[in-house]
Amino acid sequence: MIPQQFIDDLLRRVDVVEVVGQYVQLKRTGANYSGLCPFHTEKSPSFSVSPSKQFYHCFGCGAHGTALGFLIEHLGLPFPQAVEDLARRVGLEVPKQAPDIDPVAKKKETDYRARLRDVLLDAAKFYARRLKDSPQAIEYLKRRGLSGEIAAKYHLGYAPEGWQPLQSVFGDYQSKDLVDAGLVIEGDAGKRYDRFRDRIMFPILSARGEVLGFGARTLGSDEPKYLNSPETPVFSKGYELYGVFEARPYIRDAKQVWVVEGYMGVVTLAQHGLGHAVATLGTATTPQHLQQLLRLSDHVVFMFDGDAAGRRAAARALETAMPFASEKNRIDFAFLPQEHDPDSFV
């Protein structure tokens, strides 16, 4: 048997538009793509593919599902072969699982990961509400040139001051899930407090729009300037990129994806009409990042800060990117003046 966790991760990494588009001629219609349904005969397109939901649906015959379901239904592949096919597309190896796995344990793990995503979503909604009530946070974003529209598009929020603001959201502040999701820290003698306090909050979404973690920026000169969620069962910095969910349609239109160092760079570029940017999450560019980037576009442009640290990051990214360069894949590096980062330069 194939572990459910691997299947969940696989579906987060594949692009249903790319998979379906190999077999169905798709045309952009607003936020979605449409075409003639491959499951029944029709003359006008009623088949819709949603890049944000990573889902297809036919309004004529009712066929619907994920990229995995499409391969099973359209090509008639057995489930294990369909998983193998998708895994090859994204450079993953399918792990094997003992056939006698306890179904109760499997369901328990699935439910656990779903609970963590639920508490992260509730926290993101709380931070978004508190941003509206924080004049100092709103003033900071305005000073950085951001509008209310772009803040809403990227679901920006504000973590208020105090040790336990999240206690107003979660009735059971002692829940282990809050610690496991990276929202709460448990200190000495079991004392708990919120990880993020008095910071602008940047929710990190999966390609399917699920909240996986947060980046948080101080409003002043506190250190660290940026604070990220820790590694959790649903979040790994070496695999995820900030802004992928929001950038996907713009990447398709631009036919390239820009990679910057920080959250603010992504949001500020989007404010200026350059919505095809994503960011690494405070870690060096990994092969897994490159795989995900090249699934988004075959033209990747790294645009790190112009200072010495940014150039060192670019050098490390170059080493990682070299094995991925090919006639099909174009990888460029844009170097900014020493005193600029992407958001100040734009």
Side-chain angles (χ1 to χ4, degrees):
M1 293 179 66
I2 301 170
Q4 182 62 42
Q5 180 177 338
F6 175 81
I7 294 170
D8 293 342
D9 290 341
L10 179 61
L11 288 175
R12 279 195 289 271
R13 297 179 194 286
V14 298
D15 182 358
V16 69
V17 175
E18 180 183 322
V19 173
V20 174
Q22 289 188 324
Y23 307 96
V24 179
Q25 187 172 353
L26 297 174
K27 182 179 179 182
R28 182 74 178 269
T29 51
N32 298 327
Y33 290 75
S34 64
L36 296 177
C37 180
F39 300 109
H40 79 287
T41 303
E42 62 177 9
K43 294 183 179 180
S44 59
S46 60
F47 184 76
S48 177
V49 184
S50 170
S52 61
K53 297 178 181 177
Q54 286 296 296
F55 207 75
Y56 69 86
H57 179 78
C58 177
F59 294 94
C61 70
H64 64 280
T66 63
L68 182 59
F70 182 84
L71 293 183
I72 293 171
E73 295 298 324
H74 183 59
L75 301 184
L77 298 180
F79 177 79
Q81 188 177 339
V83 174
E84 290 277 1
D85 183 291
L86 284 186
R88 276 196 303 272
R89 294 168 188 257
V90 296
L92 296 180
E93 182 176 345
V94 180
K96 302 303 179 185
Q97 181 170 286
D100 58 348
I101 185 171
D102 182 358
V104 175
K106 178 181 175 182
K107 184 177 187 306
K108 185 177 179 180
E109 174 66 18
T110 301
D111 291 347
Y112 167 64
R113 290 163 64 87
R115 287 202 315 272
L116 296 189
R117 288 192 289 267
D118 285 345
V119 299
L120 288 162
L121 176 59
D122 288 342
K125 291 178 178 178
F126 168 72
Y127 295 140
R129 290 194 302 269
R130 294 307 300 263
L131 176 61
K132 298 175 183 177
D133 301 329
S134 173
Q136 72 270 27
I138 292 172
E139 176 58 31
Y140 173 82
L141 295 177
K142 285 182 177 179
R143 198 164 63 247
R144 296 298 297 263
L146 300 181
S147 65
E149 289 77 14
I150 208 71
K153 180 180 179 63
Y154 282 84
H155 314 283
L156 302 190
Y158 171 68
E161 295 180 278
W163 289 103
Q164 298 178 335
L166 284 176
Q167 194 165 24
S168 65
V169 181
F170 302 104
D172 183 9
Y173 190 74
Q174 300 303 312
S175 169
K176 181 176 179 292
D177 290 349
L178 298 182
V179 176
D180 292 351
L183 294 171
V184 167
I185 295 173
E186 191 163 68
D188 297 336
K191 181 176 176 58
R192 292 187 170 209
Y193 55 93
D194 289 10
R195 180 179 300 274
F196 304 109
R197 304 183 305 281
D198 192 24
R199 288 176 178 266
I200 298 292
M201 300 298 291
F202 298 83
I204 300 163
L205 308 184
S206 72
R208 302 172 71 181
E210 303 160 318
V211 182
L212 303 178
F214 295 92
R217 194 201 190 285
T218 179
L219 295 178
S221 57
D222 298 342
E223 292 294 337
K225 182 166 70 173
Y226 282 98
L227 182 64
N228 296 315
S229 287
E231 299 282 311
T232 73
V234 297
F235 175 62
S236 174
K237 291 193 287 285
Y239 281 84
E240 305 299 339
L241 293 162
Y242 175 69
V244 167
F245 178 74
E246 295 87 353
R248 228 170 185 153
Y250 302 99
I251 292 169
R252 289 198 182 92
D253 290 343
K255 296 182 172 55
Q256 58 183 268
V257 55
W258 292 2
V259 188
V260 300
E261 285 186 68
Y263 307 98
M264 193 60 74
V266 170
V267 178
T268 305
L269 288 173
Q271 176 71 63
H272 289 270
L274 302 168
H276 52 287
V278 301
T280 52
L281 302 172
T283 186
T285 305
T286 66
Q288 291 78 18
H289 288 147
L290 261 297
Q291 289 170 353
Q292 185 173 175
L293 288 165
L294 290 169
R295 288 197 299 274
L296 295 167
S297 174
D298 57 11
H299 185 187
V300 178
V301 181
F302 286 94
M303 189 184 299
F304 291 157
D305 297 356
D307 59 12
R311 301 212 170 204
R312 286 194 298 270
R316 290 193 297 269
L318 175 59
E319 292 180 7
T320 304
M322 284 295 287
F324 294 88
S326 67
E327 290 185 5
K328 177 178 180 293
N329 298 329
R330 174 175 170 176
I331 301 173
D332 290 341
F333 286 78
F335 292 97
L336 301 178
Q338 185 172 357
E339 70 275 13
H340 279 294
D341 54 27
D343 52 308
S344 67
F345 190 73
V346 72

